[in-house]
Amino acid sequence: MLRLCAPDVLAEGQSRGFEIAGEKLLAVRKDGKLYAYRNRCPHRGIPLEWLPDQFLDHSASLIQCATHGALFLIESGECVAGPCAGQSLQELAIREDEQGIWVELAGR
């Protein structure tokens, strides 16, 4: 697993973007749980955010693609509205300990 950041870098209800090992990723902390996905919209294959670390909609309850407004469930990455409805973000294994937040990139 690769270290993303210190545990306190990602607060409750926040999202954050990372680039690690040449991959763009995003992580979200919701209801005390961590979720990680590749930062790539399934509709156009482009990054989801326009501004750094801005991945959530106004209510902070869904991940939103800034380009076409697609909305994704934080808990599963499933697109529930927009041009990629029925598709999903690519989920990554993530865990946390006292040393940091760790992610596993498939095939590494």
Side-chain angles (χ1 to χ4, degrees):
M1 292 197 104
L2 301 170
R3 186 176 187 272
L4 283 182
C5 60
D8 61 350
V9 169
L10 188 59
E12 176 64 34
Q14 285 189 332
S15 62
R16 199 157 187 108
F18 300 92
E19 188 163 341
I20 187 165
E23 299 274 354
K24 289 182 184 253
L25 316 173
L26 71 109
V28 180
R29 187 185 300 269
K30 181 181 178 187
D31 298 328
K33 290 188 69 180
L34 289 170
Y35 302 90
Y37 299 96
R38 290 196 191 281
N39 181 4
R40 183 179 172 90
C41 181
H43 173 230
R44 297 298 287 263
I46 57 176
L48 295 164
E49 84 283 22
W50 273 342
L51 297 171
D53 304 323
Q54 300 297 311
F55 294 97
L56 303 180
D57 68 348
H58 292 295
S59 68
S61 63
L62 296 164
I63 297 168
Q64 182 172 27
C65 177
T67 303
H68 295 104
L71 296 171
F72 303 87
L73 297 175
I74 292 172
E75 299 84 356
S76 66
E78 178 187 355
C79 182
V80 293
C84 55
Q87 295 180 292
S88 293
L89 299 174
Q90 186 179 357
E91 188 172 10
L92 300 169
I94 189 168
R95 70 175 176 82
E96 180 177 25
D97 60 26
E98 318 77 47
Q99 312 294 296
I101 296 174
W102 306 81
V103 69
E104 185 171 324
L105 300 178
R108 293 203 181 255

